[in-house]
Each structure stands twice: as C-alpha cells, then as structure tokens.
Amino acid sequence: MEFKEVKIPAGDLITYENGKLVIGDNPIIGVLRGDGIGLDITPVMQTVVDAAVGKAYDGKRAIAWCPIYSGLEGLQRYGSEFPEESVEAIRYLKIAIKGPFTTPIGEETHVCLHCAHQQYHGGKCDKCGKDDGVCERFRSINVRFRQHLDLFACVRPVKYFKGVPSPNKYADKVDFVIFRENTEDVYAGYDFERGSDTAKAIIELIKEKTGREIRPDSGIGVKPISEFGTKRLVRKALEWAKNNNLPSVTLVHKGNIMKFTEGSFAKWGYELAAEDFGDTFVTEKALWDEMDGKMPAGKILIKDRIADSIFQQIQTRPGEYSVLALPNLNGDYMSDAAIALVGGLGLGPGANMSDEVALFEATHGTAPKYTGMDKVNPGSIILSAEMMLRHMGWTEAADMILHGVEKAITDGHVTYDLARLMKGEGREDVTEVSCSGFGQAIIDRMS
Ligand code: NAD
C-alpha cells in the first residue's frame, strides 16, 4: 500500500486470518507520538519495549516501528490534525500505539497544538508564540480514531503497584481489566431539549403506547443498546479471560431498572458465552445449583452484578473480579473509579479495539507545561505497550516490562509525581528520576 508521508519500514505486516492475528518475528507496528508530553513519553516507551523484546527473545524478534502522524505532526505534514492517511495506516498495520492528543474544550475558535492554548484567531499562538501549531477547533482526535476504525471495545487494565500510595485498604487485591462498550448507550444516544418538538412527540408517543405520564417540562434522553453491540464487546472480554487464564468475567448492568437495555446487556452476554464458548464458562447459577459452589478446574466463572453494587464490591472485595464488561456510561464511571482505587495516578494503561485493529494509548492528557522537559511519568504508555505485547502473544517480553515497572517503583526510582506522593507517605529512600531515567530504571530491572 502507498502512503504519502507514512513510510512502511521493512518487516512483517500483521494480518488477520480466520479470526486471529498472524504476527511474524519482525512485526510492523504503528506509533503516533502524540502532542505535548507525547514528545517525551513515546520514545521512552519504544526504548523500553525494544529492550524487553531483545532480552526476552535473544535478538530473534524485534518490532519495526512505523511512525504515523496526527495532531501537531499531522498539522505540520498534511495541514490537518486528523489526516485520513493516519486512519488508513493504522487500519493497514492492525496494531498501533499512541501518545495523548490535544482536544479543544472551550468555546474559542482556535487551539495551539504545541501548548493547548485556545484563542479566537489563527496564526501565532498568544501563549507560546509559535506560528506552526495553531489550527481551527476540531472534534477529539481520540474519538475520531475510535469512530473511523470502529474500535468498539475500550480496554482498561487496573492493577495496584506495590509502593504506590493508595487510599484503599484492599488496593493490593486490585488486578482486573475493564471492557467498556465504545459505540452505543449514551455514545450513540440522543438528548432532546425540554419543550422541543421531538421531546414533546416522544412524551406523547409514550403516553399513547404505555399510558405513562412524563412531566411536560422534561428533557428526553434515548440510549440504545443492541444485541450486536453487546455480543461483540462481551466476546472480546471472554476471549481476554480465556487467553490470559483469568478466573472470571462479570457482566455489569442496571437491569433492575432498565430491563430491555441494561438487562438485555447481561442476557445477551450470557447467551453469547453459551453460543460461542461452549462449556468454557460456568454461570454462577450453575455453580451453586449444580456444582455445590465448587468451581471445576480449568473453567471460567461468568457472573453479573448490578452497577451500583459493583462500585461497592471493587472497594470491599476487589480480589473477586478479574474481567468486567460494561455498557458505555457505567464503563466510563467504572474506569475512573477503579483507577482511583490504586492511587489515581497516570500509570493506567489502555487500548481501543475492534476485532482486527487495536490502538493502545497513554490514558492521561498532553500536560503541555511539561513538554520537552524529560520530566513526566511514562508509566501509562509503557504499560499500554506491555498490554500490546500480551495482545500479540509476546507474553515473555510483557512480563519483563511488568517486572521492571514493579521493581523500579518498589525500589523508589520514580518520576516527580510518584516521588512526591511516596515521600508524603514518609518514605525516605525515594530517588526522583527523569522520564527517560524511569525508562532506564525499568530496563535495568527487567528479568
Ligand atoms: P492532563 O492529563 O494533560 O494533565 C493534568 C495534570 O496531570 C498535568 O498538569 C500533570 O500535572 C499531570 N500529568 C498528566 N500526565 C502526567 C504524566 N504522564 N506524568 C506526570 N504527571 C502527569 O490533563 P489536562 O491538562 O486536562 O489536558 C491537557 C490536554 O490533553 C487537553 O488538550 C486535553 O483535552 C488533552 N487530553 C488528551 C487525552 C488523550 O489524548 N487521551 C486525555 C486527557 C486529556
């Protein structure tokens, strides 16, 4: 395939055959630097991954990185922050990893992709003075990647790292992966203003069809959840549990209140498990009705929980959960609440996936005031790369990175953000290191 700016390096193109990724020893993987501190964290991530892969496979495997340009780099190369070519290149390569991208949030008409400053004119940035980074306001680059590539599953592993100050007594038991549906529910929802023709028409229709009264001064929201959307998300969660030998999958919903959206999410999830995974999964009902509560060896438990109770459970009994599958809105709340359990830090990794394409990402923003200072914590993108290696089946290299991160933190070789918190907890043996220094600390501790 020919691209204008993207140069495909020598290596093995990843393919998708019979429902599986086929990955050679030199896979070509897309890398999008991102804006702001993407400049600092992305190269550190690449160095750490290269070291882990080299060490784990004795030089027999290596990643061929393929730079892809969006955000500031897209603007400078193509004149657009979201070039079509970047979408096509990710689609072509099937796996990519990215830093954070600037997203305009205010009402100003222009934003600077160097420093995220927003203003009412193009040309030179009023804050940083640069004249090659200001562009007209746009919709989130992250959201557009998700939509253009139909990345329907947002995957967020949440894990406690020993030594990180956490507000939760049971933080050390937290080690689960959240699968949040990315295309339906409120993301595909409609919101109609009170008094609008549509809101009035819906209120009348509901009265006519069900006899129920809705107050006429109500705004009306519609949230679709489909069988198709649910099953493809739950399939991903079940596959993850199976491929990573995890003990359970929990379907989270609010079906006690909304039977045909939230409730159906759980119903279709159970159906899918039975249809596609045979007897790999045991339902909680079968476990107690037929097996006296004794889980058969090699099987995975599938259970469901009401959304409000799961927010208690992840705090009081986090060890009972390993994979959680949720519709969009509850998944949004859950992702942030869960990260808070383990210290609320920018260490959390993430990815957005379809069946064929996976885009791994740093989950924090561009933190522009730290750009180019080699200061910030590259943990989020490094752990996203660790997740990417697992997705590729390169678990030995992934384990090396995980071990390196764990050891660097327990040894107290950490960036300023963690150093401040750890010192605040009274630890005296903390060595504050730079962004690249943290990468080196991980490499030095890989085993
Ligand atoms: P942010 O996450 O960039 O920064 C908030 C604060 O968190 C920073 O000032 C810094 O103190 C800290 N921080 C963030 N990442 C860190 C790291 N790796 N190491 C140490 N400290 C870190 O959030 P913001 O300031 O609200 O947003 C800045 C820009 O990033 C905005 O344009 C926003 O839209 C965008 N953003 C992008 C993403 C993404 O691409 N996934 C996510 C969130 C925000």
Side-chain angles (χ1 to χ4, degrees):
M1 195 163 199
E2 286 291 311
F3 293 103
K4 186 171 151 265
E5 293 286 336
V6 173
K7 306 275 176 276
I8 306 289
D12 303 323
L13 201 58
I14 295 171
T15 56
Y16 185 74
E17 293 165 25
N18 302 321
K20 285 204 163 55
L21 290 173
V22 179
I23 296 175
D25 285 340
N26 295 102
I28 305 169
I29 299 221
V31 57
L32 294 87
R33 188 191 76 187
D35 298 332
I37 54 168
L39 189 77
D40 304 78
I41 60 172
T42 308
V44 172
M45 174 277 294
Q46 289 176 268
T47 307
V48 169
V49 171
D50 289 342
V53 170
K55 206 163 176 173
Y57 306 112
D58 226 3
K60 294 188 183 71
R61 285 178 171 174
I63 287 176
W65 298 102
C66 176
I68 297 173
Y69 312 104
S70 288
L72 178 64
E73 289 188 312
L75 187 69
Q76 292 174 337
R77 285 175 179 259
Y78 303 84
S80 162
E81 79 291 343
F82 187 68
E84 187 56 34
E85 185 168 289
S86 63
V87 177
E88 287 318 312
I90 296 171
R91 203 192 306 279
Y92 182 60
L93 297 180
K94 305 225 173 339
I95 297 180
I97 183 161
K98 70 173 194 63
F101 285 109
T102 308
T103 309
I105 38 175
E107 60 181 28
E108 292 86 347
T109 53
H110 289 74
V111 62
C112 174
L113 301 186
H114 284 289
C115 70
H117 175 68
Q118 295 181 202
Q119 59 192 35
Y120 285 100
H121 61 87
K124 197 166 163 184
C125 173
D126 290 343
K127 187 169 179 205
C128 71
K130 294 189 176 139
D131 59 8
D132 63 347
V134 174
C135 67
E136 279 181 28
R137 64 168 297 134
F138 52 80
R139 280 177 51 236
S140 160
I141 293 174
N142 302 314
V143 170
R144 281 186 282 170
F145 273 128
R146 288 208 293 269
Q147 290 177 342
H148 285 241
L149 293 163
D150 194 22
L151 305 175
F152 60 81
C154 175
V155 188
R156 290 265 186 276
V158 187
K159 178 179 164 57
Y160 178 69
F161 286 90
K162 198 170 161 216
V164 174
S166 154
N168 190 275
K169 194 171 156 190
Y170 306 112
D172 60 335
K173 305 272 185 308
V174 176
D175 189 0
F176 50 73
V177 185
I178 297 169
F179 281 75
R180 169 191 176 198
E181 207 288 327
N182 243 348
T183 66
E184 302 201 317
D185 190 5
V186 291
Y187 263 16
Y190 291 93
D191 209 22
F192 299 108
E193 195 177 356
R194 80 144 179 209
S196 64
D197 289 348
T198 314
K200 280 192 209 155
I202 294 173
I203 291 171
E204 277 164 29
L205 186 72
I206 289 174
K207 174 95 198 300
E208 184 193 317
K209 296 284 180 195
T210 69
R212 285 202 202 166
E213 295 274 0
I214 293 178
R215 291 189 188 104
D217 60 347
S218 302
I220 298 287
V222 175
K223 50 172 260 171
I225 293 183
S226 73
E227 179 177 351
F228 172 80
T230 299
K231 285 190 171 173
R232 67 178 183 170
L233 184 270
V234 174
R235 185 180 292 109
K236 275 247 155 300
L238 299 180
E239 277 168 358
W240 187 278
K242 194 174 158 194
N243 295 341
N244 292 287
N245 298 318
L246 297 174
S248 72
V249 175
T250 307
L251 307 168
V252 180
H253 61 96
K254 191 74 186 150
N256 53 333
I257 304 295
M258 283 165 286
K259 192 169 172 204
F260 301 114
T261 47
E262 298 276 339
S264 296
F265 180 84
K267 177 175 152 267
W268 291 323
Y270 281 119
E271 265 176 33
L272 186 269
E275 285 161 8
D276 282 22
F277 292 84
D279 61 0
T280 309
F281 287 85
V282 170
T283 65
E284 204 168 34
K285 184 170 180 336
L287 178 68
W288 291 102
D289 288 358
E290 300 159 26
M291 299 166 194
D292 210 17
K294 292 190 185 63
M295 196 59 198
K299 306 277 183 200
I300 304 170
L301 183 66
I302 179 164
K303 52 190 173 179
D304 70 287
R305 293 287 181 272
I306 300 293
D308 38 50
S309 90
I310 196 79
F311 278 88
Q312 293 189 351
Q313 299 253 311
I314 58 161
Q315 295 179 65
T316 54
R317 301 152 79 154
E320 292 180 16
Y321 299 94
S322 47
V323 175
L324 302 168
L326 305 93
N328 187 271
L329 183 60
N330 287 330
D332 189 11
Y333 301 148
M334 173 61 70
S335 302
D336 277 22
I339 285 291
L341 282 183
V342 292
L345 281 161
L347 271 176
N352 290 288
M353 298 182 185
S354 68
D355 287 328
E356 285 197 31
V357 177
L359 181 55
F360 296 82
E361 64 179 7
T363 54
H364 52 74
T366 60
K369 69 179 174 195
Y370 294 121
T371 302
M373 292 171 69
D374 191 22
K375 182 174 172 74
V376 294
N377 186 347
S380 176
I381 197 163
I382 289 173
L383 289 170
S384 295
E386 180 259 350
M387 190 182 167
M388 177 181 87
L389 292 166
R390 269 181 223 291
H391 177 72
M392 293 161 61
W394 291 19
T395 45
E396 299 80 3
D399 287 345
M400 283 206 174
I401 293 182
L402 193 57
H403 188 260
V405 172
E406 279 170 348
K407 193 81 177 59
I409 294 173
T410 45
D411 286 355
H413 284 251
V414 291
T415 45
Y416 79 98
D417 50 324
L418 277 178
R420 191 169 53 204
L421 289 172
M422 289 159 86
K423 284 179 188 165
E425 294 265 300
R427 238 183 107 164
E428 286 170 2
D429 61 338
V430 175
T431 310
E432 188 177 315
V433 294
S434 63
C435 178
S436 54
F438 187 58
Q440 192 55 49
I442 296 169
I443 294 171
D444 292 344
R445 290 163 178 78
M446 283 177 180
S447 63

